[in-house]
Amino acid sequence: MSLVEELKSAVTPRAALLVVGVLALQLLFIASYVGALHNPKPKDVPFGVVAPQQVSAQLLGRLERLPGEPLAPRTVADEAQARKQIMNRELDGALVVNPGGTTDTLLVASGGGTVLSSALETLFTQVEGANRRTLRTVDIAPASKQDFDGLSAFYLVVGWCVGGYICAAILAISAGSRPANRERAIIRLGVLALYSVLGGLGGAVVVGPILGALPGSVAALWGLGALVVFAVGAATLALQSVFGIVGIGLAILLIVIAGNPSAGGAFPLPMLPPFWNAIGPALPPGAGTWAARSIAYFKGNDLTGSLLVLSAWAVVGSVITLVMSSLKRTPESERITGEAGSAR
């Protein structure tokens, strides 16, 4: 055989296309992670200002004009309201001005991301120093001492996502698996649901009772984990049912390449570039990370939006999987084999 013939027999056109696809995923992985994380800066951070009326307007103006627009400041009535809005995840921090002294108080919540709370402390140390005032920082929702840089929630959700799409991929394309008809699709979704319950429980127990990395309700984290795993798995099954094996690559594109760097894990959303900041909350890793931190550090506040996002992925993925499996006819070879078997 000639070299060209050997090449054709060794690498089929289908395999060559898949290799090109893998190369594209590799480059997109590098571009997405480096693009999102190479130069984090706070941008339009929701921030409260508690100050006497005669100074609040002037202070808001100065904060709005800071280089790079790191803050989106707003007036808050008093310290109690500022604390409440931070715990409700409406604000990422607040400055409480002391009109009777020279020391002001910065309220932060490192449970939402220690990098952001540290950035706010650095910023306001400079702002206060320029005004010949000093700063006292109070962390009202501190990250666990076992949760380095507040990353445990993110890694927990990443693990759940990995389990979801690998389980779905195995169910869809493992050796001997037949193309999905409606009955097989229902069975695969059922197996995925059972796996999701077990995977959610396992993750919650590992980060909670075993490692002590995250506080909060184990039951709530269990429920969240089951939803994350199922949402990712259902989306993967749906993509595979529409695009075949290429759908597995598309699932990796959505969850790993687009979802992980935009999840607000290493750097909270206000520190990400606009594109990743915009897509993060709509993808399972971002929605899951936000919800896990809410459960662990913010008394379960502000969960509704994230749970709706995850539920949408789960429902739409399941519906597409079932519809596509119903539309696909049984391959002729499989039908003949089945008829021959019954004839015997």
Side-chain angles (χ1 to χ4, degrees):
M1 295 177 68
S2 68
L3 178 61
V4 174
E5 291 174 334
E6 286 284 2
L7 182 61
K8 288 181 178 179
S9 64
V11 182
T12 65
R14 175 182 171 85
L17 287 175
L18 290 174
V19 168
V20 172
V22 170
L23 175 61
L25 285 177
Q26 172 186 301
L27 297 178
L28 286 170
F29 183 98
I30 294 170
S32 184
Y33 277 73
V34 177
L37 308 176
H38 76 289
N39 187 26
K41 295 179 180 178
K43 176 73 172 178
D44 293 329
V45 177
F47 192 83
V49 174
V50 180
Q53 187 174 2
Q54 60 270 26
V55 301
S56 63
Q58 183 180 4
L59 178 57
L60 280 176
R62 288 204 304 269
L63 296 180
E64 289 171 347
R65 292 190 296 270
L66 288 173
E69 300 179 344
L71 304 175
R74 68 189 75 164
T75 302
V76 181
D78 53 35
E79 182 176 344
Q81 278 296 314
R83 287 174 174 265
K84 180 179 179 181
Q85 290 186 34
I86 292 172
M87 289 303 298
N88 287 338
R89 309 202 74 179
E90 299 170 21
L91 298 175
D92 287 314
L95 182 69
V96 181
V97 176
N98 177 12
T102 60
T103 300
D104 299 328
T105 300
L106 175 67
L107 303 177
V108 296
S110 62
T114 59
V115 176
L116 179 57
S117 61
S118 297
L120 289 175
E121 185 172 10
T122 299
L123 175 64
F124 277 92
T125 298
Q126 297 171 353
V127 170
E128 293 286 276
N131 295 323
R132 298 182 180 179
R133 299 180 68 85
T134 56
L135 188 71
R136 180 177 71 99
T137 302
V138 177
D139 194 343
I140 66 171
S144 166
K145 293 181 179 179
Q146 304 299 319
D147 182 11
F148 178 74
D149 272 358
L151 290 172
S152 296
F154 170 61
Y155 290 135
L156 170 64
V157 172
V158 168
W160 282 331
C161 289
V162 168
Y165 67 71
I166 289 181
C167 177
I170 290 173
L171 290 173
I173 64 172
S174 61
S177 290
R178 294 179 175 182
N181 56 26
R182 184 171 53 192
E183 291 74 18
R184 291 174 195 152
I186 293 172
I187 291 171
R188 289 170 185 174
L189 286 170
V191 172
L192 176 63
L194 176 60
Y195 175 87
S196 300
V197 171
L198 296 176
L201 175 60
V205 170
V206 167
V207 302
I210 294 180
L211 298 178
L214 283 180
S217 167
V218 172
L221 287 174
W222 177 11
L224 173 64
L227 181 56
V228 170
V229 175
F230 188 81
V232 172
T236 304
L237 285 176
L239 289 168
Q240 190 275 336
S241 69
V242 176
F243 299 103
I245 193 172
V246 174
I248 306 300
L250 293 177
I252 294 173
L253 175 64
L254 277 174
I255 305 303
V256 178
I257 295 176
N260 286 353
S262 65
F267 302 111
L269 291 175
M271 302 191 74
L272 296 179
F275 173 75
W276 288 269
N277 184 307
I279 67 172
L283 297 174
T289 299
W290 182 275
R293 284 176 172 163
S294 290
I295 292 169
Y297 297 116
F298 296 93
K299 301 180 180 179
N301 294 326
D302 198 24
L303 284 173
T304 303
S306 297
L307 295 181
L308 287 175
V309 168
L310 292 168
S311 298
W313 281 93
V315 171
V316 173
S318 299
V319 169
I320 292 175
T321 300
L322 293 172
V323 169
M324 292 302 297
S325 65
S326 299
L327 293 177
K328 290 180 178 179
R329 296 181 178 180
T330 304
E332 185 69 17
S333 59
E334 184 178 326
R335 184 180 63 80
I336 293 173
T337 301
E339 291 174 353
S342 60
R344 293 193 194 98

